[in-house]
């Protein structure tokens, strides 16, 4: 009878707190499953999830849904046992919590059960005159606890926690917000960066290469729009330890409006758990949530073991309700970084929303108040702080999110299915946790006075024609940037067989050593200028050809988007089809170059998403904008099927490794997770079969 009641509740989606006595058969089955969970406990970190199944729409595993809920506090995830010096509060819905945990949870007016979301009529009140606040002991978890957990960190001789290995009182995390967010945790190594973070050995510098379009041009012939490719590649991470990379100050601005209720919020919490797990002890994290208003749920704290536990408690306390006020969330997120007393080398904001701003762009009654000026959503303080925006589902405002990312120097990613939220976050932090070059500036100078720079194809990067410089900014480990410089090569007289075209130099800051690296003494770009063409054909650069087709594909997608926005979908599809034909006839296309194959696949996918107005409105616009964001910044974004390598042209090894880690940490499949980590040499496709992570699970196709 009990089993039928539970099935009926899950089928109807009722938030009921019913107590159904267990039968003898169910009790024995429950015991067996608990024992199985212990015996097959994964060696690696279990994929973190939210411990609020009723509010998330997820089905709680039966091995922990009944017994563990009465033994473990759902807020701090600490075991609850009598006689340990902590008062236990049992709510009217029969769920129990530590008294000091639930008082901090309800002191801001929250009267909803964190487990079943039942509304309470009676809430606990904590005396303001208490002499001392309770201190939560370090969390000791049962091995069958498959929910949001933090594993014991691997011991390291050169790694020490800046704070004692015990949790601060939970109530100190959720106190009222101060007027100024200058309560960020101090950086222990702030005063001695050179001594503490400088890696051993000689650091690897930025790699710079240049490729002229062809190797020689006859003296008597002029060449208009002669292309020279400048290729930049950041050095790799010297080791896997967090001390060999730049620490990060990360602020996550999360949408918790009413539309995020259920599975969306549950998987968002799980994705945040993954982010928290993979931050190092020198990284800092702050959590901002927004609905009708914005709230700082967690201040900027170091991600030591204690900090991670506190951050998980803050994430786990998120509840969905209200409207969508993106502007207020961004404003508060920027305030965290502006008001901080200490600064890590890398700073970034991660924004996720599944809806449209109903307060700044439109009033709550639906009328448009600001037109389409999306810049009004972006605080002035974030001009130098990249905002990596994630549009979630088919209802979000892709144009708004793309504009926020584009104007701040960040990327826009499209998450169509909630099942890949964690993978999308993993790809993003895989890059943020591997920044090896900062404030990169490329300087271009014409050597010959007869030469003039016609144009520079730099995407969203700004080229200053007066100084001949390109402001590139940050590069992740092994990340590449390609810029095409077009010159007008004139007819020349003289006896010299060679001609110097360009001089390329770079200046950047090493975020680890904090030293400025000057590479202005770089070799010149030269070509041959014979009197007559030699018998052998001039060498045509394949690298230049590859970048030309990349730019051509990006321009075709941009042109098709303009047509699609005007409702001219047939013309848009025709532009994409024509571009595919041109790409297939190029040198790279005939050679089946990997980049060309990837671009053709993207063009075809874009065509399918412009098959009808309905398809374009639901997913096509977001897919196109995410692709344009990727091409303009030459940086990987989440779009399409994340398990398909054809859409990962700009992914670095650090990003791929982090996504693989996300996909192998399979909830409920410890065996698969253990096997994947024990055999790191397995192929990428084999490892990704552990969990189907498709971004387009049920996309409508044209008929």
């Amino acid at each position: 009878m009990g089993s039928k009641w539970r099935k009926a509740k899950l089928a109807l989606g009722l938030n009921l707190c019913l107590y159904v006595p267990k039968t003898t058969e169910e009790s024995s089955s429950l015991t067996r499953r608990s024992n199985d969970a212990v015996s097959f406990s994964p060696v690696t970190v279990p994929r973190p999830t939210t411990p609020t199944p009723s509010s998330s729409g997820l089905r709680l595993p039966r091995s922990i849904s009944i017994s563990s809920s009465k033994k473990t506090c759902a807020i701090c995830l600490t075991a609850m046992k009598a006689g340990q010096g902590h008062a236990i509060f049992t709510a009217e819905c029969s769920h129990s919590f530590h008294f000091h945990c639930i008082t901090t949870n309800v002191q801001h007016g929250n009267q909803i059960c964190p487990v079943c979301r039942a509304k309470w009529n009676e809430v606990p009140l904590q005396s303001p005159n208490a002499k001392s606040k309770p201190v939560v002991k370090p969390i000791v978890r049962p091995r069958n606890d498959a929910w949001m957990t933090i594993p014991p960190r691997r011991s390291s001789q050169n790694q020490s926690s800046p704070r004692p290995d015990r949790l601060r009182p939970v109530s100190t995390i959720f106190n009222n917000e101060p007027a100024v967010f200058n309560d960020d945790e101090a950086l222990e190594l702030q005063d001695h960066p050179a001594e503490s973070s400088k890696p051993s050995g000689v650091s690897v510098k930025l790699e710079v290469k240049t490729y002229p379009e062809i190797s020689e041009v006859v003296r008597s012939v002029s060449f208009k729009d002669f292309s020279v490719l400048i290729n930049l590649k950041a050095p790799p991470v010297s080791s896997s330890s967090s001390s060999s990379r730049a620490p990060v100050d990360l602020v996550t601005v999360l949408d918790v409006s009413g539309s995020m209720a259920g599975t969306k919020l549950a998987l968002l919490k799980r994705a945040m758990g993954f982010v928290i797990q993979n931050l190092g002890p020198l990284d800092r994290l702050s959590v901002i949530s927004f609905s009708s208003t914005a709230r700082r749920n967690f201040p900027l704290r170091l991600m030591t073991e204690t900090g991670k536990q506190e951050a998980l408690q803050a994430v786990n306390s998120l509840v969905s309700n209200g409207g969508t006020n993106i502007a207020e969330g961004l404003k508060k997120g920027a305030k965290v970084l502006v008001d901080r007393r200490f600064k890590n080398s890398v700073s970034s904001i991660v924004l996720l929303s599944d809806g449209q701003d109903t307060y700044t762009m439109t009033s709550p009654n639906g009328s448009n108040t600001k037109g389409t000026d999306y810049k009004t959503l972006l605080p002035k303080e974030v001009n130098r702080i990249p905002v990596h925006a994630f549009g979630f589902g088919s209802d979000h405002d892709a144009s708004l999110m793309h504009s926020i990312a584009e104007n701040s120097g960040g990327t826009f990613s499209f998450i169509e299915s909630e099942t890949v939220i964690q993978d999308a976050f993993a790809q993003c932090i895989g890059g943020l946790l591997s920044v090896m070059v900062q404030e990169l500036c490329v300087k271009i100078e014409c050597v010959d006075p007869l030469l003039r720079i016609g144009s520079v194809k730099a995407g969203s990067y700004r080229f200053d024609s007066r100084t001949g410089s390109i402001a590139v900014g940050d590069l992740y480990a092994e990340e590449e940037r390609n810029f095409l410089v077009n010159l007008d090569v004139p007819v020349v007289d003289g006896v010299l067989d060679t001609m110097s075209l360009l001089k390329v130099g770079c200046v950047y800051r090493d975020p680890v050593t904090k030293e400025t690296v000057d590479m202005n003494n770089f070799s010149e770009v030269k070509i041959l200028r014979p009197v007559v063409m030699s018998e052998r054909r001039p060498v045509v650069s394949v690298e230049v050809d590859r970048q030309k087709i990349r730019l051509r594909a990006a321009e075709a997608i941009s042109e098709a988007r303009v047509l699609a926005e005007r409702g001219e979908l047939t013309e848009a599809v025709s532009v994409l089809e024509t571009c595919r034909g041109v790409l297939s006839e190029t040198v790279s296309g005939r050679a089946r170059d990997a980049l060309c194959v990837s671009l053709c696949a993207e063009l075809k996918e874009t065509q399918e998403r412009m098959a009808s107005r309905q398809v374009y409105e639901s997913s096509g616009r977001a897919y196109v904008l995410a692709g344009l964001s990727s091409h303009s910044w030459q940086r990987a974004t989440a779009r399409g099927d994340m398990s398909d390598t054809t859409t990962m042209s700009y992914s670095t090894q650090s990003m791929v490794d982090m996504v693989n880690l996300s996909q192998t940490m399979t909830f409920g499949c410890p065996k698969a997770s253990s096997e994947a980590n024990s055999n790191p040499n397995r192929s990428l496709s084999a490892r990704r079969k552990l969990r189907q992570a498709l971004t387009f699970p049920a996309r409508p196709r044209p008929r």
Side-chain angles (χ1 to χ4, degrees):
M1 183 62 183
S3 177
K4 293 181 179 179
W5 267 109
R6 293 186 185 88
K7 290 180 180 178
K9 286 167 57 184
L10 289 172
L12 295 173
L14 298 177
N15 292 330
L16 300 178
C17 296
L18 300 181
Y19 174 75
V20 181
K22 295 180 292 184
T23 63
T24 306
E25 180 182 356
E26 289 179 59
S27 300
S28 60
S29 174
L30 188 63
T31 305
R32 283 197 307 271
R33 294 182 184 180
S34 298
N35 293 336
D36 291 341
V38 174
S39 60
F40 291 107
S41 179
V43 177
T44 56
V45 183
R47 186 168 186 161
T49 58
T50 176
T52 56
S54 296
S55 63
S56 65
L58 290 181
R59 183 174 180 177
L60 188 66
R62 301 185 73 178
S63 59
I64 61 172
S65 61
I66 301 174
S67 59
S68 295
S69 63
K70 294 187 177 181
K71 296 179 180 179
T72 305
C73 176
I75 297 178
C76 68
L77 305 182
T78 307
M80 293 187 300
K81 292 184 179 180
Q84 289 187 340
H86 299 299
I88 297 176
F89 171 78
T90 301
E92 55 206 75
C93 60
S94 78
H95 292 111
S96 299
F97 313 91
H98 285 126
F99 183 79
H100 57 267
C101 291
I102 200 62
T103 53
T104 57
N105 193 55
V106 303
Q107 68 176 356
H108 295 291
N110 182 14
Q111 300 184 15
I112 298 176
C113 176
V115 176
C116 66
R117 299 200 71 196
K119 187 174 181 180
W120 293 337
N121 295 320
E122 299 179 0
V123 295
L125 298 176
Q126 190 173 24
S127 172
N129 299 324
K131 295 181 179 180
S132 61
K133 297 180 180 179
V135 178
V136 181
K137 296 181 180 180
I139 292 179
V140 180
R141 307 182 187 282
R143 291 179 62 84
N144 65 340
D145 185 1
W147 294 102
M148 188 181 289
T149 59
I150 282 291
R153 199 172 185 83
R154 296 175 182 176
S155 60
S156 177
Q157 295 179 355
N158 58 357
Q159 177 180 321
S160 59
S161 177
R163 294 177 295 174
D165 188 17
R166 67 180 183 86
L167 292 178
R168 289 192 296 265
V170 182
S171 57
T172 62
I173 305 175
F174 302 101
N175 49 11
N176 294 328
E177 293 180 3
V180 180
F181 292 161
N182 59 356
D183 55 349
D184 56 307
E185 188 165 4
L187 302 175
E188 298 292 334
L189 308 177
Q190 184 78 18
D191 297 331
H192 308 284
E195 298 296 330
S196 58
S197 60
K198 191 171 182 177
S200 59
V202 180
S203 60
V204 182
K205 291 186 177 181
L206 178 75
E207 184 179 343
V208 182
K209 294 180 180 179
T210 55
Y211 302 89
E213 184 174 359
I214 57 177
S215 58
E216 58 184 73
V217 177
V218 179
R219 296 183 188 179
S220 59
V221 176
S222 62
F223 200 121
K224 187 174 179 61
D225 290 335
F226 182 89
S227 298
V228 176
L229 172 64
I230 302 174
N231 172 264
L232 312 172
K233 186 174 182 180
V237 179
S238 57
S239 67
S240 58
S241 63
S242 59
S243 60
S244 64
R245 62 169 177 82
V248 179
D249 279 348
L250 180 63
V251 177
T252 57
V253 182
L254 309 176
D255 186 346
V256 292
S257 58
S259 59
M260 286 291 293
T263 307
K264 287 183 179 181
L265 183 60
L267 293 177
L268 173 60
K269 291 180 180 180
R270 187 166 69 179
M272 280 300 300
F274 178 84
V275 172
I276 292 169
Q277 284 182 357
N278 286 279
L279 293 176
L282 301 181
D283 301 316
R284 298 191 299 178
L285 173 71
S286 178
V287 179
I288 305 293
S289 65
F290 68 91
S291 53
S292 301
T293 58
R295 175 188 177 191
R296 189 188 69 166
N297 302 82
F298 188 70
L300 202 58
R301 289 285 182 267
L302 288 168
M303 287 296 97
T304 58
E305 296 305 320
T306 303
K308 289 182 178 182
Q309 300 289 1
E310 295 172 347
L312 281 178
Q313 294 178 36
V315 170
N316 189 47
S317 68
L318 297 178
V319 177
S320 59
N321 56 64
T324 305
N325 196 335
I326 298 177
E328 192 66 23
L330 279 175
K331 182 179 179 181
K332 191 148 292 188
K335 182 176 175 61
V336 170
L337 295 178
V338 172
D339 293 352
R340 56 184 170 168
R341 296 173 300 161
F342 308 95
K343 294 183 179 181
N344 267 326
S345 300
V346 181
S347 301
S348 186
I349 296 175
V350 171
L351 168 68
L352 181 138
S353 177
D354 74 331
Q356 303 188 21
D357 189 283
T358 54
Y359 286 84
T360 307
M361 303 308 299
T362 57
S363 60
N365 61 10
S367 61
N368 195 314
T369 59
K370 297 288 184 178
T372 56
D373 186 11
Y374 297 126
K375 291 184 179 180
T376 58
L377 288 177
L378 197 64
K380 296 180 180 180
E381 295 82 3
V382 301
N383 288 337
R384 294 179 176 270
I385 304 171
V387 178
H388 298 285
F390 292 82
F392 185 21
S394 60
D395 296 328
H396 77 278
D397 191 336
S399 299
L400 180 149
M401 300 291 279
H402 176 263
S403 178
I404 290 173
E406 189 73 15
N407 287 291
S408 66
T411 56
F412 167 66
S413 294
F414 171 42
I415 307 176
E416 188 170 8
S417 170
E418 61 264 19
T419 58
V420 294
I421 295 180
Q422 180 168 305
D423 295 338
F425 276 18
Q427 184 182 67
C428 181
I429 66 168
L432 292 176
L433 298 182
S434 63
V435 174
M436 298 299 293
V437 173
Q438 282 190 308
E439 301 173 12
L440 173 60
C441 181
V442 181
K443 296 183 179 179
I444 307 170
E445 180 183 351
C446 291
V447 178
D448 195 297
L450 297 177
L451 292 173
R452 290 192 305 173
I453 296 178
S455 62
V456 177
K457 302 292 186 179
S460 293
Y461 297 100
R462 187 183 63 217
F463 172 68
D464 190 339
S465 58
R466 294 177 302 172
T467 60
S469 60
I470 306 174
V472 181
D474 296 358
L475 290 183
Y476 302 153
E478 300 180 273
E479 195 172 35
E480 296 187 45
R481 292 291 180 270
N482 293 282
F483 304 114
L484 276 180
V485 181
N486 293 325
L487 303 168
D488 293 334
V489 178
V491 176
V492 295
D493 298 325
V495 296
L496 294 178
D497 292 332
T498 61
M499 181 180 186
S500 296
L501 301 179
L502 295 176
K503 183 187 294 183
V504 180
C506 297
V507 177
Y508 66 93
R509 188 171 71 94
D510 188 323
V512 178
T513 62
K514 303 186 185 303
E515 297 176 351
T516 300
V517 181
D518 192 338
M519 299 178 62
N520 282 325
N521 297 324
F522 192 72
S523 59
E524 299 176 355
V525 183
K526 299 180 180 181
I527 59 172
L528 298 175
R529 298 302 302 267
V531 177
V532 294
M533 188 67 67
S534 59
E535 294 181 0
R536 59 183 178 84
R537 298 181 62 183
V539 178
V540 179
S541 173
V542 177
E543 295 297 329
V544 174
D545 184 67
R546 294 175 76 247
Q547 294 306 313
K548 281 189 173 183
I549 65 172
R550 179 184 67 83
L551 291 171
R552 182 154 193 164
E555 290 170 358
I557 294 173
S558 179
E559 182 182 352
R561 174 186 172 248
V562 174
L563 293 171
E565 293 294 341
R566 295 204 299 252
E568 302 173 10
L569 293 174
T570 303
E571 291 79 1
V573 171
S574 177
V575 168
L576 297 172
E577 183 63 32
T578 302
C579 184
R580 284 179 60 197
V582 172
L583 262 58
S584 62
E585 295 300 323
T586 61
V587 175
S588 300
R590 290 193 296 267
R592 300 294 296 171
D593 179 77
L595 175 61
C596 188
V597 172
S598 172
L599 292 171
C600 288
E602 181 180 353
L603 290 170
K604 183 178 180 181
E605 180 71 24
T606 306
Q607 283 181 259
E608 295 178 356
R609 290 181 176 274
M610 293 183 176
S612 67
R613 192 68 192 174
Q614 180 183 0
V615 175
Y616 180 73
E617 292 288 347
S618 62
S619 65
R621 179 184 290 111
Y623 181 87
V624 169
L625 289 175
L628 291 176
S629 177
S630 181
H631 288 303
S632 63
W633 295 112
Q634 298 183 50
R635 178 162 284 171
T637 60
R639 57 194 170 99
D641 184 352
M642 289 194 65
S643 65
D644 189 352
T645 56
T646 60
T647 58
M648 301 179 68
S649 304
Y650 303 106
S651 290
T652 65
Q653 190 59 48
S654 299
M655 291 180 173
V656 173
D657 291 343
M658 193 65 74
V659 173
N660 287 342
L661 179 60
S662 170
Q663 295 186 345
T664 53
M665 293 173 61
T666 310
F667 173 67
C669 300
K671 279 188 174 182
S673 180
S674 301
E675 290 173 3
N677 286 274
S678 63
N679 187 7
N681 296 323
R682 294 177 61 189
S683 65
L684 182 63
S685 59
R687 294 171 69 181
R688 283 181 174 165
K689 287 180 181 178
L690 291 172
R691 178 173 66 83
Q692 187 178 11
L694 302 180
T695 309
F696 312 118
R699 183 178 70 255
R701 292 285 185 179
R703 295 184 179 182

